[in-house]
Amino acid sequence: MIPTLVIGLREGVEASLIVGIIAAFLNRNGRRDALRQMWIGVIAAVVLCLLIGIGLVALSKELPQQQQEGLETVIGAFAVTMVTFMILWMSKHARGMKKELEGAAAQALNTGSARALVVMAFLAVLREGFETAVFLISVIQNSTSVTSGTAGATIGILVAIAIGYGIYRGGVRLNLGRFFKITGLVLVLVAAGLAMTVFHTAHEAGWINFGQGQAVDLTWLVRPGTVLASLLTGVLGLQPTPTVVEAIVWLVYAIPMLAYVAWPRGQRRSAGKPAAAQAANGQPAANGQPAAGKPAPTSSSSAHA
């Protein structure tokens, strides 16, 4: 339930933010006509995402067992790729999202056409909805309880819609950087567990047959049927007896991604700033020399010479 709740909340907030910011901008500018057209695009995207999700589930049930494992592998790999891209992109653009969206909306209004706003809202919701559908299907298919997984996703999406409405009405102030960092850390662990599952289902489909020896025995921690086992398996993707390839995949994915998401943005920017730029901002260069074009300070002994 926790992984699907975080997925629904995270992806839902992204879509709600985009829609809420654009709707608030149009409302402030008195463009009710464009606002109505924007909602048409949002509704169309939601319906299309639901149809895609239903189609994927129906297709999976119609296939033989081995082909089902193959389809789950493909969906899982696609989900890991999408969520990785989303985490990396949002970690860079979360703080400036509102300014960028309002600038794009203003440009669309200046052209005299509201179609660009409809397309913008449609594509934003379609992207987030498609990511959500694929990711949730992959996680729920490998969860211990489909009911609890579905309930978690529903709760997350409803909370996200409430946050988006609050942003539209102006009563909610959300620290986007902190929110996306916390949810990003959780999603990295979920995606790492999903990557392990991808290699497991790929073996079941007959695609991967190397590295199938037992890596470690975690039955003392991940005891089937316990609440702790459900939490560790659902959130971290840990299995009682992971194989060598599954353990390697989890470590290779989780460690660098956790380091990237947890690393403070300010330190990352300053670490990559050239010495000349630091000197231009009044900071000493790394070699202790003054910046180019600035004379070295004159010592007191030289001044009296």
Side-chain angles (χ1 to χ4, degrees):
M1 181 175 183
I2 294 177
T4 55
L5 189 150
V6 174
I7 295 168
L9 178 62
R10 165 82 181 224
E11 299 286 346
V13 164
E14 287 189 36
S16 297
L17 276 174
I18 296 172
V19 174
I21 290 171
I22 296 175
F25 178 81
L26 293 176
N27 192 40
R28 288 198 307 269
N29 287 271
R31 292 299 305 270
R32 296 283 183 178
D33 56 331
L35 188 60
R36 286 192 295 270
Q37 295 182 48
M38 185 207 71
W39 285 117
I40 294 175
V42 171
I43 294 172
V46 170
V47 171
L48 182 57
C49 290
L50 289 174
L51 292 176
I52 291 174
I54 294 172
L56 288 175
V57 173
L59 177 62
S60 177
K61 291 182 178 180
E62 292 295 327
L63 295 174
Q65 181 64 35
Q66 190 170 9
Q67 293 184 15
Q68 285 185 20
E69 299 291 346
L71 180 60
E72 289 182 16
T73 301
V74 173
I75 293 176
F78 192 40
V80 172
T81 302
M82 288 193 304
V83 77
T84 302
F85 173 78
M86 177 263 293
I87 292 172
L88 297 177
W89 187 90
M90 191 56 68
S91 66
K92 292 183 178 180
H93 298 86
R95 299 178 188 277
M97 179 184 290
K98 182 176 181 181
K99 184 179 295 185
E100 293 177 6
L101 287 173
E102 289 186 344
Q107 184 177 2
L109 290 178
N110 290 334
T111 61
S113 174
R115 290 183 179 179
L117 290 173
V118 176
V119 173
M120 187 190 308
F122 174 81
L123 292 179
V125 176
L126 180 63
R127 184 191 68 183
E128 303 301 336
F130 182 69
E131 289 179 357
T132 304
V134 174
F135 205 27
L136 285 176
I137 289 172
S138 185
V139 172
I140 291 175
Q141 282 180 338
N142 296 282
S143 65
T144 56
S145 174
V146 175
T147 302
S148 63
T150 305
T154 303
I155 294 172
I157 293 173
L158 291 176
V159 172
I161 293 174
I163 292 175
Y165 181 76
I167 292 173
Y168 167 69
R169 300 298 298 179
V172 172
R173 296 291 183 269
L174 191 64
N175 187 324
L176 297 182
R178 182 176 300 175
F179 172 82
F180 286 117
K181 172 174 282 192
I182 295 174
T183 56
L185 291 172
V186 177
L187 278 185
V188 166
L189 297 176
V190 175
L194 186 56
M196 289 181 66
T197 304
V198 166
F199 276 75
H200 178 78
T201 54
H203 172 66
E204 296 292 332
W207 296 352
I208 294 178
N209 295 312
F210 58 86
Q212 296 304 312
Q214 181 177 317
V216 63
D217 186 359
L218 297 178
T219 54
W220 59 272
L221 179 63
V222 187
R223 298 177 180 176
T226 63
V227 176
L228 180 60
S230 299
L231 184 62
L232 293 175
T233 302
V235 179
L236 304 181
L238 297 181
Q239 301 294 331
T241 55
T243 63
V244 173
V245 68
E246 291 171 3
I248 292 175
V249 166
W250 195 95
L251 293 172
V252 169
Y253 182 90
I255 292 177
M257 284 294 293
L258 287 173
Y260 181 86
V261 176
W263 192 265
R265 300 276 90 79
Q267 292 186 19
R268 182 182 299 161
R269 286 194 295 269
S270 62
K273 187 185 294 183
Q278 294 182 14
N281 291 332
Q283 301 176 8
N287 58 5
Q289 299 296 326
K294 292 186 179 181
T298 306
S299 63
S300 56
S301 59
S302 300
H304 290 290

